[in-house]
Amino acid sequence: MDDKTILNRITEMVDEEHRLRAEAQAGHTGTDEATRDRLRELEESLDQCWDLLRRRRAARSTHGDPDAQGVRPKRPPPGRPPPPGAPPARAPAAGSSGVRRAGGG
């Protein structure tokens, strides 16, 4: 997938998102569960597309291969476990509680 294709897909999804939100505000569809689910799907897919586009551009700027960049799996919503086969979350560095303290200590 090249940058132009990714940008076209982003535009299509943004247009659909705007249409769904406008219809909900106008009272045509409300914010029923199906509309909310579709908006959530669009947000996740947009995040994936923007991430892929950024990584392709970064690869190109460092003389890497933008075509070697693949789409990353969708991130689970906060509080949900990652899907099976997803890489585990990174643990804090050894000797670190992972909590920052006020005052730089």
Side-chain angles (χ1 to χ4, degrees), residues 47-105:
D47 285 346
Q48 283 183 305
C49 285
W50 281 118
D51 176 64
L52 176 58
L53 189 60
R54 280 190 296 271
R55 289 185 296 110
R56 286 177 57 82
R57 289 175 174 171
R60 193 175 295 112
S61 71
T62 59
H63 306 291
D65 181 8
D67 293 327
Q69 304 302 312
V71 176
R72 292 182 184 173
K74 293 180 181 178
R75 294 183 204 146
R80 269 201 200 159
R90 290 201 292 206
S96 167
S97 67
V99 177
R100 298 189 121 197
R101 295 186 190 123

Side-chain angles (χ1 to χ4, degrees), residues 5-81:
T5 303
I6 297 168
L7 286 168
N8 286 339
R9 182 68 184 127
I10 287 171
T11 300
E12 291 170 2
M13 287 188 289
V14 167
D15 289 345
E16 181 180 357
E17 180 184 29
H18 289 176
R19 182 184 53 79
L20 288 172
R21 291 189 190 281
E23 287 175 0
Q25 284 183 340
H28 296 293
T29 61
T31 51
D32 61 3
E33 188 173 343
T35 301
R36 284 191 304 271
D37 288 346
R38 181 61 186 148
L39 286 168
R40 191 174 311 115
E41 288 173 16
L42 286 168
E43 289 170 3
E44 291 170 353
S45 295
L46 281 165
D47 285 346
Q48 283 183 305
C49 285
W50 281 118
D51 176 64
L52 176 58
L53 189 60
R54 280 190 296 271
R55 289 185 296 110
R56 286 177 57 82
R57 289 175 174 171
R60 193 175 295 112
S61 71
T62 59
H63 306 291
D65 181 8
D67 293 327
Q69 304 302 312
V71 176
R72 292 182 184 173
K74 293 180 181 178
R75 294 183 204 146
R80 269 201 200 159

